[in-house]
Amino acid sequence: MRTIITITREFGAGGGEIGRKLAEALKIPFYDKAIILTAAKQSQLDVESLRKWDERVPKAFGFGQSLFDFYGQPLDEQLFAAQKQAIVNLAEQGSCVLVGRNADYILKEYDHVCNVFIYAGFDWRVNRMSGKMPELTRSKVAMETKAVDKARRKYCEFYTGREWGKTDSFDLCLNSERLGIDRCVSVIIHALKYSE
Amino acid sequence: MRTIITITREFGAGGGEIGRKLAEALKIPFYDKAIILTAAKQSQLDVESLRKWDERVPKAFGFGQSLFDFYGQPLDEQLFAAQKQAIVNLAEQGSCVLVGRNADYILKEYDHVCNVFIYAGFDWRVNRMSGKMPELTRSKVAMETKAVDKARRKYCEFYTGREWGKTDSFDLCLNSERLGIDRCVSVIIHALKYSE
């Protein structure tokens, strides 16, 4: 049976790692930033523009003429449309794990989609990311964590009208600090298996 | 190993049923309204007062002299203190499932506590409760569902200062509409087992 798992995650909570391990265990493809490349290939947009605005809302959206490209369409709308199409195409190909980029919202009319939210306490997330980025001070990592969360929240609310991280959008929400990364993977697999 | 499972739930989402089945499967005691009886036995309060204010904040709290009993303490503070003590006593006795009454907050300093939130779409919850209460019209059940959710939300925010149903407070949050009642039970057991 086709299974699409979307993972929405707080920065540093390990959603990417959980997604990768899940895809490995289920032997299905894993997509996070790769969605961008797929979107770029399928559209006229260049990879660098997509990278720059990935999961962000342009600050001056709607106010700056510079945001309109030569097609007369705001860049980010075009980007969102390209990413949306890429996500739909990937989901149509078969089972996969999709991380971020509002995939839960984009695929909301699809069957066999399991939407997961991964979250954890702020301090735990900062500690975890500090371990991965020893070149940065802890306070720099804390600032970055807040900034990324804020960008993802705005990105979600801007494009979906939904409040980011609210339980309603998800089948299950797991606290990776309390359960641990591997147990999150195992709990998701168990939740999926039972339904087959 | 001692395991305390607290369940916070939206009205009609099946949190009580999940809790009962979980307790049965794990062969441990289940407490929901029984917490009130324990509290009453351990305090000077009568069961009827406790039942009346169970999971509610008195409307006129702080403004009505009538809310003060002959000890000069507002009734609901005394009630909350009695319930809190009852929950601590039950948790001290050994493994159990506790439903509602902010048990997650009351036991927040305890080890081996797994906090679960059970939620579901509003229409699904109303349909489910309508099936259980055939004597009521659907719109009456819908009104009651909203009222109980609102009372629980206020009760939680009044006593804990936490936003009700926000993921932060929980180890895992399960959508009973999407997963089904039995799968929720199974997922919680799986999440617990893995940690032993």
Side-chain angles (χ1 to χ4, degrees):
Chain A
M1 198 176 82
R2 192 167 69 184
T3 307
I4 314 291
I5 302 144
T6 75
I7 295 183
T8 304
R9 72 294 184 224
E10 288 183 339
F11 183 72
E17 193 179 336
I18 289 166
R20 256 189 306 276
K21 287 186 168 184
L22 192 60
E24 220 174 271
L26 298 172
K27 297 184 176 52
I28 59 177
F30 168 81
Y31 303 112
D32 58 349
K33 298 250 172 200
I35 294 169
I36 303 168
L37 300 172
T38 312
K41 269 186 221 156
Q42 289 163 353
S43 69
Q44 299 290 323
L45 298 167
D46 66 290
V47 177
E48 278 320 302
S49 296
L50 283 159
R51 266 198 215 289
K52 191 173 168 193
W53 296 121
D54 185 33
E55 292 191 293
R56 285 170 198 271
V57 177
K59 270 185 195 154
F61 173 70
F63 305 103
Q65 184 62 28
S66 64
L67 285 167
F68 290 79
D69 71 4
F70 57 94
Y71 290 110
Q73 198 186 10
L75 177 64
D76 66 339
E77 286 292 337
Q78 201 179 347
L79 185 157
F80 187 72
Q83 279 212 350
K84 188 176 164 175
Q85 194 53 53
I87 286 168
V88 167
N89 292 350
L90 291 170
E92 294 279 355
Q93 280 171 35
S95 297
C96 64
V97 177
L98 293 160
V99 174
R101 291 147 199 93
N102 299 319
D104 59 314
Y105 177 78
I106 291 163
L107 301 174
K108 68 183 186 297
E109 306 299 341
Y110 280 63
D111 288 334
H112 313 308
V113 176
C114 177
N115 299 315
V116 182
F117 182 60
I118 302 292
Y119 62 99
F122 182 75
D123 287 344
W124 186 83
R125 295 190 282 130
V126 172
N127 288 344
R128 187 171 167 276
M129 294 317 286
S130 293
K132 287 180 187 291
M133 298 186 281
E135 70 282 11
L136 297 181
T137 61
R138 198 181 181 284
S139 68
K140 176 76 185 144
V141 175
M143 276 170 61
E144 184 66 12
T145 301
K146 271 188 195 157
V148 177
D149 277 352
K150 194 175 166 187
R152 286 181 187 167
R153 178 177 298 278
K154 281 179 79 176
Y155 181 74
C156 171
E157 283 162 16
F158 187 85
Y159 286 112
T160 73
R162 285 180 179 177
E163 191 184 324
W164 187 71
K166 207 160 179 280
T167 53
D168 310 29
S169 312
F170 307 105
D171 294 36
L172 62 168
C173 308
L174 303 176
N175 186 328
S176 55
E177 175 182 3
R178 299 271 296 180
L179 298 173
I181 299 286
D182 289 335
R183 201 175 354 158
C184 287
V185 176
S186 163
V187 165
I188 298 166
I189 293 172
H190 187 81
L192 292 167
K193 269 188 185 162
Y194 206 89
S195 67
E196 278 169 9
Chain B
M1 199 176 83
R2 193 167 67 183
T3 308
I4 314 290
I5 302 144
T6 76
I7 295 183
T8 304
R9 74 291 186 225
E10 289 184 337
F11 183 72
E17 193 179 336
I18 289 166
R20 255 189 306 275
K21 287 186 168 182
L22 192 61
E24 219 174 272
L26 298 172
K27 297 185 177 52
I28 60 176
F30 168 80
Y31 303 112
D32 58 349
K33 298 250 172 196
I35 293 169
I36 302 167
L37 299 172
T38 312
K41 269 186 221 155
Q42 289 162 354
S43 69
Q44 300 290 323
L45 297 168
D46 66 291
V47 176
E48 279 320 299
S49 296
L50 284 158
R51 266 199 214 289
K52 192 174 169 193
W53 297 119
D54 185 34
E55 292 192 290
R56 284 170 197 271
V57 178
K59 271 182 192 156
F61 173 70
F63 305 103
Q65 184 61 28
S66 65
L67 284 167
F68 289 79
D69 70 5
F70 57 94
Y71 289 109
Q73 199 185 8
L75 178 63
D76 67 340
E77 285 292 338
Q78 202 179 346
L79 185 158
F80 186 72
Q83 279 212 350
K84 188 175 165 178
Q85 194 53 53
I87 287 168
V88 167
N89 291 350
L90 291 170
E92 293 280 356
Q93 279 170 35
S95 297
C96 64
V97 177
L98 293 160
V99 174
R101 292 147 200 91
N102 299 318
D104 60 314
Y105 177 78
I106 290 163
L107 301 175
K108 67 182 187 297
E109 305 300 341
Y110 280 65
D111 287 334
H112 314 309
V113 176
C114 177
N115 299 315
V116 182
F117 182 60
I118 303 292
Y119 61 99
F122 183 74
D123 287 345
W124 187 83
R125 294 190 283 129
V126 172
N127 287 344
R128 187 170 168 275
M129 293 317 284
S130 293
K132 287 181 188 290
M133 299 186 282
E135 70 282 9
L136 298 180
T137 61
R138 199 182 180 284
S139 68
K140 175 73 186 149
V141 175
M143 275 170 62
E144 184 67 10
T145 301
K146 271 187 195 158
V148 177
D149 277 352
K150 195 175 166 189
R152 286 182 188 166
R153 178 176 299 279
K154 281 178 78 175
Y155 181 74
C156 170
E157 284 162 15
F158 186 85
Y159 286 111
T160 73
R162 286 180 178 177
E163 192 184 324
W164 188 71
K166 205 155 180 283
T167 52
D168 310 27
S169 312
F170 306 106
D171 294 36
L172 63 167
C173 309
L174 304 175
N175 186 329
S176 53
E177 176 181 3
R178 299 272 297 179
L179 298 173
I181 298 286
D182 290 336
R183 201 177 352 159
C184 286
V185 175
S186 162
V187 166
I188 298 166
I189 292 171
H190 187 80
L192 292 167
K193 268 186 186 161
Y194 205 89
S195 66
E196 278 168 12

